[in-house]
């Protein structure tokens, strides 16, 4: 996994920035029940999505484990920011009307702990909203994807059925689903080659023969600075049933 303290400085610029954040926030808001007042944004990062959720009138608390991310979020998020591990949250049971985890679960071997903690801090009737199958969203059928096909892959840790099982095990009920466009995230061959060489794909070690071979093939593709199609991300929401439904 990246050191997200180091990654904070270029995080937004390398991942679509404000346009992508606007799409994500709009999609999350669309899955929140009427009357939602408070929201916990897990792994809030630099706060570009969090800020928009707060601007919609929600009482937002952002949580992230990286000081570098939180220092950037502090400059733009009006709500409360807390440094904490999302697998062990420092909040009492039933503290929030909603919780969101955007682009988080795919990073973790123990994503079930995040889902369990989100369920714990939700009030009855509240919802947990999360992205699923993030890596698959980036495979848009482009020539870049064809070049990268031989790379080693981990099994998706945020596969929809797996996340649904985590939610069910934590007492949550599937509620709704949505998608949103990764605006500004259409990759160019030049960007893809640079990402391969700097360790973006965690199973491709910088300087390893396969890493260099794939990067060189990417650099041979035509239209080096023309973005390929943007990814489309999937969202799922899960509801914590009120006591009468249990």
């Amino acid at each position: 996994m990246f050191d997200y303290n180091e990654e904070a400085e270029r995080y937004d610029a390398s991942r679509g920035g404000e346009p992508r954040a606007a799409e994500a926030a709009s999609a999350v808001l669309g899955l929140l029940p009427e009357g939602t007042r408070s929201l916990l944004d897990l792994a809030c990062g630099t706060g570009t999505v969090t800020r928009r959720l707060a601007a919609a009138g929600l009482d937002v608390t952002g949580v992230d484990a990286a000081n570098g991310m939180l220092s950037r979020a502090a400059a733009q998020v009006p709500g409360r920011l807390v440094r904490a591990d999302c697998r062990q949250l420092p909040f009492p049971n039933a503290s929030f009307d909603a919780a969101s985890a955007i682009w988080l679960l795919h990073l973790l071997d123990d994503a079930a702990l995040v889902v369990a903690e989100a369920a714990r801090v939700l009030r009855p009737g509240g919802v947990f909203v999360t992205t699923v199958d993030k890596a698959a969203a980036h495979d848009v059928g482009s020539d870049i994807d064809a070049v990268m096909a031989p790379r080693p892959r981990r099994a998706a840790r945020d596969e929809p059925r797996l996340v649904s099982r985590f939610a069910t095990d934590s007492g949550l009920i599937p509620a709704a689903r949505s998608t949103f466009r990764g605006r500004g995230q259409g990759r160019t061959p030049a960007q893809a080659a640079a990402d391969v060489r700097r360790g973006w794909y965690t199973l491709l070690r910088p300087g390893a023969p396969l890493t260099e071979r794939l990067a060189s093939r990417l650099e041979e593709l035509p239209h080096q600075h023309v973005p390929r199609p943007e990814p489309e991300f999937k969202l799922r929401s899960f509801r914590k049933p009120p006591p009468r439904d249990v």
Side-chain angles (χ1 to χ4, degrees), residues 23-164:
E23 292 281 336
S26 178
V28 170
L29 290 168
L31 293 181
L32 300 183
E34 186 176 350
T36 299
R37 294 183 177 85
S38 61
L39 180 139
L40 177 65
D41 191 20
L42 302 167
C44 66
T46 61
T48 54
V49 175
T50 319
R51 184 184 81 241
R52 287 174 166 81
L53 298 175
L58 295 172
D59 178 9
V60 174
T61 299
V63 172
D64 205 283
N67 281 327
M69 290 290 193
L70 288 176
S71 65
R72 288 187 166 265
Q76 60 175 327
V77 176
R80 182 169 53 144
L81 297 172
V82 178
R83 184 177 182 274
D85 188 329
C86 292
R87 295 163 293 192
Q88 191 173 5
L89 295 169
F91 306 109
N93 295 347
S95 296
F96 300 93
D97 295 330
S100 58
I102 309 304
W103 305 304
L104 171 61
L105 300 186
H106 69 287
L107 298 171
L108 305 173
D109 289 324
D110 49 2
L113 296 180
V114 173
V115 178
E117 278 291 89
R120 181 183 66 78
V121 301
L122 280 179
R123 297 186 179 112
V127 297
F128 171 54
V129 181
T130 183
T131 43
V132 296
D133 229 5
K134 180 180 183 292
H138 288 282
D139 189 344
V140 296
S142 71
D143 51 354
I144 293 174
D145 297 315
V147 168
M148 295 302 296
R151 71 180 175 90
R153 300 171 185 259
R154 286 194 176 97
R157 293 167 283 191
D158 63 340
E159 194 275 328
R161 285 178 295 181
L162 190 60
V163 175
S164 292

Side-chain angles (χ1 to χ4, degrees), residues 193-213:
D195 287 340
V196 167
R197 286 200 167 102
R198 76 184 181 93
W200 180 284
Y201 300 92
T202 56
L203 296 183
L204 290 174
R205 292 183 296 105
L210 178 58
T211 301
E212 288 302 312
R213 186 158 63 250

